[in-house]
Amino acid sequence: MLLTIDDFDFNGKTVALRVDINSPIDVNNGIILDDTRIKACVDTIKELSNKGAKVVILAHQSRPGKKDFTTLQSHAVKLSEVLGMEVEYIDDMFGSHAINSIKRMSNGDILLLENVRFYSEEVLNDWKKWEGITPKKQAKTIMLKKIYILFDYFINDAFAAAHRAQPSLVGLAYYMPAIAGRIMEKEIKILSKVIQNPERPSIFVLGGAKVDDSIDVIKNVLNNNFADKVLTTGIVANIFLIAKGYNIGPNKKLIEDMGYLNQVEIAKELLNKHGNKIVIPIDVALNVNGTRKEVKLNLNEEITHPIHDIGSETIKLYDEIISNAKTIVANGPAGVFENKNFLKGTEELLKSMAKTYAFTVIGGGHLSAAAGVVGVSDKINHISTGGGACIEFLAGKKLPVIELLKESYQKYKK
């Protein structure tokens, strides 16, 4: 159980609202190229403002050292545009300018403070280790001790960052109620349903390059009987092909270079335990000097070129399974979809999902982008705002932000 916006009266209250509006930016002019995440948090911001709250937004953009690590000035402009309400940008987070700006706010006002990752305490390596680190430690950072007293409530709507334990995400929960925003509430509700109480048959389609995360999801959904079948694509499928004894030639070296060769033994164990539920490709598309060449897989033949997609026979097989499903969860593209010669697998599987009557969910990241390219985003029931957070949730891992929201419910529910 979580505390939600419905549980409190925000009129006249000052609210710290943590969102994730980390967006692709043109590094030459600062223009935001994709405002999907900004649009996603509009409902929470507008609702709080309409209820008379003084809304102080905390957010980040990229990380130190990257070309798109910049201020949140463009984000404030875009937020104002999509909200149809003024969002004042403050180029400070805990200094006198920020503090005085918060103190002079009127009911319904909206402020966006500076990129929290400009401050060293937010990006300490210590925060990557959740075990043994309490919210108290994050709460005692200077950046939060200077401003926490200004707030009545802390609302966390940054589901995409829920797997992190940085001060701006968890520290304020030490001082005041931590409340789920509308994005957070929706993500947890939907993702909990598809892994704990899905309509059957429930199918997971897992691909992409994050092999260890995807295999953790496979372990979780099959060991706990949350899924009836798992369809594998991408590097994930290649791991299972090796586990089944296929010689995939140079593709094995790629997996070794990526540091995932240790996942082969785990895949073997999963095949031994759940072999009838794990479906692997029967043909693949090779990149032969830039052209697409489909070949059937044969245990006695070596693959001599890079595998960049699943083949037509596999697409047909997967489409048949998807068409009979009642719940479908997909994460990661089927191949190198950025190259039009190898978009076919990803495109056809997304179209298969879009035409079913099943409840469909796509994890964030590359597959979400691919759905936009293919033009089926509006035909998917739920596209998660979180990439890493989504897959860790599906894998059954504890996410620091969600754990704190649960603790806050127990502390403040009365």
Side-chain angles (χ1 to χ4, degrees), residues 7-21:
D7 295 319
F8 297 89
D9 178 4
F10 294 102
N11 188 41
K13 303 297 183 182
T14 306
V15 173
L17 172 63
R18 181 59 160 98
V19 299
D20 191 327
I21 50 176

Side-chain angles (χ1 to χ4, degrees), residues 6-117:
D6 298 322
D7 295 319
F8 297 89
D9 178 4
F10 294 102
N11 188 41
K13 303 297 183 182
T14 306
V15 173
L17 172 63
R18 181 59 160 98
V19 299
D20 191 327
I21 50 176
N22 188 25
S23 305
I25 285 180
D26 186 327
V27 296
N28 296 312
N29 53 30
I31 293 175
I32 292 173
L33 301 174
D34 182 354
D35 59 4
T36 301
R37 283 186 172 176
I38 292 175
K39 287 179 177 177
C41 63
V42 162
D43 289 347
T44 297
I45 298 171
K46 188 170 286 189
E47 181 177 358
L48 289 169
S49 177
N50 289 341
K51 288 184 174 180
K54 303 168 188 178
V55 186
V56 181
I57 302 172
L58 287 75
H60 73 274
Q61 171 63 38
S62 191
R63 64 187 64 190
K66 292 204 169 186
K67 290 182 179 179
D68 59 347
F69 184 56
T70 186
T71 73
L72 298 183
Q73 185 171 11
S74 295
H75 301 69
V77 173
K78 181 60 70 171
L79 263 174
S80 298
E81 178 185 315
V82 298
L83 278 166
M85 306 166 72
E86 182 185 358
V87 176
E88 184 180 357
Y89 162 66
I90 306 297
D91 61 349
D92 180 17
M93 186 198 159
F94 58 83
S96 58
H97 179 36
I99 291 170
N100 290 333
S101 296
I102 295 170
K103 285 181 176 179
R104 64 173 169 73
M105 291 177 75
S106 300
N107 293 2
D109 283 355
I110 306 167
L111 293 185
L112 174 61
L113 298 183
E114 188 54 280
N115 186 346
V116 294
R117 290 186 179 174

Side-chain angles (χ1 to χ4, degrees), residues 72-292:
L72 298 183
Q73 185 171 11
S74 295
H75 301 69
V77 173
K78 181 60 70 171
L79 263 174
S80 298
E81 178 185 315
V82 298
L83 278 166
M85 306 166 72
E86 182 185 358
V87 176
E88 184 180 357
Y89 162 66
I90 306 297
D91 61 349
D92 180 17
M93 186 198 159
F94 58 83
S96 58
H97 179 36
I99 291 170
N100 290 333
S101 296
I102 295 170
K103 285 181 176 179
R104 64 173 169 73
M105 291 177 75
S106 300
N107 293 2
D109 283 355
I110 306 167
L111 293 185
L112 174 61
L113 298 183
E114 188 54 280
N115 186 346
V116 294
R117 290 186 179 174
F118 278 7
Y119 307 97
S120 58
E121 290 176 309
E122 180 74 5
V123 291
L124 287 172
N125 284 332
D126 283 356
W127 310 137
K128 295 178 182 178
K129 300 174 289 185
W130 174 243
E131 296 298 330
I133 295 180
T134 65
K136 181 178 181 179
K137 187 169 183 179
Q138 286 97 326
K140 296 301 180 182
T141 54
I142 292 172
M143 61 187 288
L144 295 189
K145 285 197 296 183
K146 293 274 284 185
I147 61 170
Y148 84 88
I149 196 67
L150 302 171
F151 303 119
D152 299 293
Y153 299 112
F154 172 50
I155 298 179
N156 201 319
D157 217 18
F159 176 78
H163 56 317
R164 306 193 184 282
Q166 293 163 331
S168 70
L169 290 160
V170 300
L172 289 172
Y174 175 73
Y175 298 110
M176 65 196 75
I179 302 161
R182 295 307 188 194
I183 294 173
M184 186 74 69
E185 185 182 0
K186 181 180 179 181
E187 291 275 9
I188 294 172
K189 181 179 179 180
I190 289 176
L191 296 180
S192 295
K193 179 182 178 181
V194 298
I195 62 170
Q196 295 174 3
N197 188 33
E199 284 194 65
R200 304 291 185 139
S202 173
I203 307 299
F204 277 65
V205 187
L206 298 172
K210 293 185 177 180
V211 174
D212 49 351
D213 288 336
S214 293
I215 288 182
D216 283 341
V217 174
I218 295 172
K219 284 192 288 188
N220 185 43
V221 299
L222 292 184
N223 288 343
N224 291 292
N225 195 32
F226 296 150
D228 298 291
K229 282 192 184 297
V230 173
L231 314 183
T232 62
T233 66
I235 304 294
V236 179
N238 291 351
I239 291 283
F240 280 92
L241 288 172
I242 297 173
K244 289 276 278 188
Y246 288 91
N247 184 348
I248 61 172
N251 300 281
K252 184 175 181 179
K253 179 64 167 61
L254 172 64
I255 290 168
E256 183 178 5
D257 292 343
M258 294 173 70
Y260 288 140
L261 210 52
N262 63 328
Q263 297 294 316
V264 173
E265 287 303 314
I266 301 172
K268 286 180 181 179
E269 293 173 9
L270 287 166
L271 286 168
N272 287 334
K273 189 174 182 180
H274 306 288
N276 62 323
K277 292 186 175 182
I278 301 173
V279 188
I280 62 174
I282 55 178
D283 66 340
V284 293
L286 306 180
N287 184 338
V288 181
N289 299 321
T291 63
R292 181 186 182 98

Side-chain angles (χ1 to χ4, degrees), residues 203-207 229-234 236-238 240-241 277-284 297 309-325 328 333-334 345-346 348-353 355-356:
I203 307 299
F204 277 65
V205 187
L206 298 172
K229 282 192 184 297
V230 173
L231 314 183
T232 62
T233 66
V236 179
N238 291 351
F240 280 92
L241 288 172
K277 292 186 175 182
I278 301 173
V279 188
I280 62 174
I282 55 178
D283 66 340
V284 293
L297 290 166
D309 198 7
I310 56 175
S312 298
E313 292 300 313
T314 302
I315 292 170
K316 182 180 178 182
L317 170 65
Y318 286 9
D319 175 70
E320 290 173 357
I321 296 170
I322 288 171
S323 66
N324 292 311
I328 306 163
T346 302
E348 294 302 321
L349 293 183
L350 284 168
K351 287 181 177 179
S352 295
M353 292 177 64
K355 71 183 181 182
T356 69

Side-chain angles (χ1 to χ4, degrees), residues 358-372:
F359 184 78
T360 51
V361 174
I362 287 178
H366 288 107
L367 194 59
S368 173

